[in-house]
Amino acid sequence: MTSRGAGLAALAVLPLGFLVVFFAWPVAAIIGRGFGSGGVGTAIGDPLTWKLAGFTVAGAGVSTIVAVLAGLPVAFLLARVRLPGVSLVRTLVLVPFVLPTVVVGLAFRALWPDGGLLPLVLANAFFNVAVVARTVSGLWSHLDPRTVDAARALGASPWRAFRSVTLPALAPAIASSAAVVFLFCATSFGVVLILGGAKYRTLETEIYLRTVELLDLSGAAALSLVQFAAVVAALVVGALARRRRENAVRLRSRSETARRPRGGEWWAVSAGLAVVALLMTPIVALLVESVSTSDGWSLAGYEALAGRGSRGALQISGWDAASMSLRTAFDATLLAMIVGVLASVVLVALRRTPGRLARGMGETMDAALMLPLGVSAVTVGFGYLVTLDALPGDLRTSPLLVPLAQALVIIPLIVRMVLPVLRSVDVRLRQAASTLGASPGRVWREIDLPLTARSLVAAAGFGYVVALGEFGATSFLARPDAPTLPVAVATLISRPGELNNQMAYAACALLMIVTVVAVVLIDRFGAVRGQNSVGEF
């Protein structure tokens, strides 16, 4: 093995080891216990299993279609339009993507108090419009507008030119973003729990029910296998589409194509602005609900955060839960940045290494790093409780348990943000530094780090706000005397009393405000010319 190969292997040990110990091992342990009980075959053959799978896939499919249709006019607005306020639209459309799931669930419940299928579909689409808009706009901005002009000159209508020229060129980006949106929708937990109730259950919520309340490990294992198969399929489609999109971008240099809209383009601009306005509607509804009581406007919910809610709903105050969220998210982000940046460095090095073996290893590792996004957080959390006692110090009782689970969720997001930035570093600069005698470490310190520092900070901030609102695994692992704010919100809305409800909405409003401020700072600080701040989805 060459020194370069040995160095790559050493760098890959930490991210791959983390993935094996804190993801593959716990998930395999739960599935193994399910098989050990002998009921997996029965559960897989149960018509209810496939009914749940069908509902999950159908619901995720409809939400994906809605997100794609809503995201395309916004993508046009971001890629092709030069008007005052477009930069604000770029920031606003990202806000829903990083809002905590409990915040979105309560925001849509403020609009649809009884929940139901329609708000469930719309809420999942609401989360993911940013993925479509910013992924597709990243490719759209590279397309040469002269091809459309040529089609128009030959007599094509604006719609036919879009359908025949632009849409086929955008297909790789649309397919890549749709695969990721489907993945997020199929594994949605908090939104389904709040809006679906007992009537609308998906694989994710059913795994939670069977694991936590029924202790039906065989049924949970069977559902996890079905969910895992759907996740792998979505990841394969997304990886293939992402490769096609990379090739499409590589063949075109980015040019200044944004201009003032003309003629029928104003309809697309109006549609994009209407989508952004609709995205803001649940957010405004949540803010209004947080100051509404049966007696009129009031800040009682915010004031009550200093206490524990009606009839001691919480074991600690709302502000203590907020403090716990901030500390936990910091620990999770620090851990995720270490693992995610190392993984990104290895992936870039493998991509630059000649040979099909290195490329295949890189693609396999890349796909493996995405898997935590698609496996039930409940499965992972329960797996922690049955496996981590085997490690020194018994992490099951450690305060690091929740940060570990949150880090597992945000590592894929950090990789997807950091990876394209590292790939964009001109390899000739690195070669010149190496020729002048710089060691690999010094090349990274002197070349890569200065060029990617802003994006690294943006990735850290993005990971922090996602960890701050993480609910799936945290709801299972957080102790009652040390809940994070999203877990406290879920506890409050499950208890009777108007004060508890007002506290929940007030806590959600605070989470939302912190998230919006963080997103604005991230988008302003981390924006690099030509770089999509959602990442390489």
Side-chain angles (χ1 to χ4, degrees):
M1 180 182 290
T2 64
S3 58
R4 175 184 171 85
L8 277 180
L11 285 176
V13 165
L14 179 60
L16 290 179
F18 184 90
L19 199 66
V20 168
V21 173
F22 296 108
F23 174 69
W25 180 28
V27 172
I30 291 300
I31 294 177
R33 288 199 173 201
F35 275 103
S37 64
V40 170
T42 302
I44 289 181
D46 188 349
L48 177 61
T49 298
W50 297 106
K51 182 179 179 181
L52 288 168
F55 177 77
T56 301
V57 170
V62 174
S63 294
T64 301
I65 292 172
V66 173
V68 170
L69 293 177
L72 286 178
V74 180
F76 172 78
L77 187 61
L78 300 181
R80 294 298 203 200
V81 175
R82 181 179 294 151
L83 286 173
V86 170
S87 59
L88 176 61
V89 170
R90 186 180 301 275
T91 300
L92 290 178
V93 77
L94 184 57
V95 170
F97 182 66
V98 294
L99 283 177
T101 56
V102 292
V103 172
V104 175
L106 282 187
F108 274 83
R109 204 167 82 166
L111 295 172
W112 282 277
D114 297 328
L117 188 58
L118 179 60
L120 188 56
V121 169
L122 293 179
N124 280 328
F126 169 87
F127 265 118
N128 295 294
V129 169
V131 176
V132 177
R134 300 189 66 150
T135 300
V136 175
S137 68
L139 177 55
W140 206 333
S141 61
H142 287 82
L143 300 183
D144 190 342
R146 291 174 296 182
T147 57
V148 176
D149 294 338
R152 294 296 310 279
L154 292 173
S157 65
W159 168 244
R160 185 174 181 183
F162 173 77
R163 191 177 70 249
S164 303
V165 179
T166 305
L167 192 59
L170 293 177
I174 294 173
S176 174
S177 59
V180 175
V181 170
F182 179 86
L183 176 67
F184 288 151
C185 293
T187 55
S188 177
F189 177 64
V191 168
V192 180
L193 204 63
I194 292 174
L195 296 175
K199 185 176 182 181
Y200 298 105
R201 305 201 309 270
T202 61
L203 288 173
E204 185 81 2
T205 57
E206 186 69 11
I207 290 171
Y208 176 84
L209 173 67
R210 297 195 183 193
T211 302
V212 177
E213 298 186 14
L214 303 179
L215 292 178
D216 178 12
L217 293 184
S218 61
L223 295 175
S224 296
L225 291 174
V226 174
Q227 185 185 54
F228 186 75
V231 165
V232 170
L235 288 176
V236 170
V237 171
L240 293 175
R242 191 163 59 247
R243 186 188 306 171
R244 289 181 59 199
R245 189 180 82 245
E246 290 171 1
N247 293 334
V249 171
R250 194 177 299 118
L251 293 174
R252 303 174 177 90
S253 60
R254 182 180 175 90
S255 57
E256 288 297 331
T257 59
R259 56 174 173 76
R260 187 175 178 83
R262 295 180 301 205
E265 291 176 344
W266 283 104
W267 288 104
V269 172
S270 300
L273 293 175
V275 169
V276 175
L278 289 173
L279 291 178
M280 296 300 105
T281 301
I283 294 175
V284 173
L286 175 66
L287 290 174
V288 171
E289 190 68 24
S290 70
V291 293
S292 301
T293 68
S294 57
D295 298 324
W297 305 110
S298 172
L299 295 176
Y302 294 91
E303 296 168 353
L305 289 174
R308 301 185 180 185
S310 177
R311 300 179 182 178
L314 301 176
Q315 294 190 22
I316 61 176
S317 71
W319 291 118
D320 288 338
S323 176
M324 179 65 66
S325 291
L326 295 173
R327 295 196 303 270
T328 302
F330 176 84
D331 294 340
T333 304
L334 181 62
L335 179 57
M337 284 297 294
I338 294 172
V339 176
V341 172
L342 280 178
S344 299
V345 170
V346 172
L347 289 172
V348 171
L350 287 173
R351 186 183 180 88
R352 291 172 177 167
T353 301
R356 299 179 65 178
L357 178 60
R359 179 175 290 272
M361 291 172 59
E363 290 176 352
T364 302
M365 181 177 174
D366 194 3
L369 288 166
M370 285 288 287
L371 283 176
L373 286 179
V375 174
S376 169
V378 176
T379 301
V380 175
F382 196 68
Y384 280 7
L385 297 182
V386 301
T387 57
L388 295 190
D389 61 318
L391 296 179
D394 191 358
L395 289 176
R396 296 180 303 175
T397 58
S398 169
L400 288 176
L401 188 63
V402 173
L404 282 170
Q406 292 181 352
L408 193 66
V409 172
I410 62 177
I411 284 172
L413 302 177
I414 288 174
V415 170
R416 294 268 71 83
M417 290 186 69
V418 173
L419 189 58
V421 181
L422 289 177
R423 284 176 177 169
S424 69
V425 175
D426 193 338
V427 70
R428 291 172 297 183
L429 295 175
R430 307 182 85 258
Q431 291 171 345
S434 298
T435 302
L436 293 173
S439 64
R442 187 172 181 184
V443 170
W444 162 256
R445 189 172 65 252
E446 301 289 345
I447 303 295
D448 295 86
L449 188 58
L451 292 175
T452 60
R454 286 167 63 91
S455 292
L456 291 175
V457 173
F462 194 83
Y464 185 83
V465 295
V466 173
L468 195 65
E470 203 284 324
F471 177 68
T474 307
S475 66
F476 190 79
L477 296 173
R479 300 193 309 269
D481 61 341
T484 61
L485 198 54
V487 174
V489 168
T491 301
L492 288 168
I493 62 175
S494 66
R495 303 294 176 86
E498 184 182 20
L499 182 62
N500 289 336
N501 193 62
Q502 289 302 307
M503 281 183 67
Y505 275 103
C508 281
L510 291 177
L511 274 173
M512 185 182 64
I513 291 170
V514 171
T515 300
V516 170
V517 171
V519 166
V520 171
L521 293 176
I522 292 165
D523 213 41
R524 300 300 181 190
F525 182 81
V528 179
R529 188 177 181 81
Q531 175 64 31
N532 182 351
S533 64
V534 166
E536 198 192 44
F537 286 127

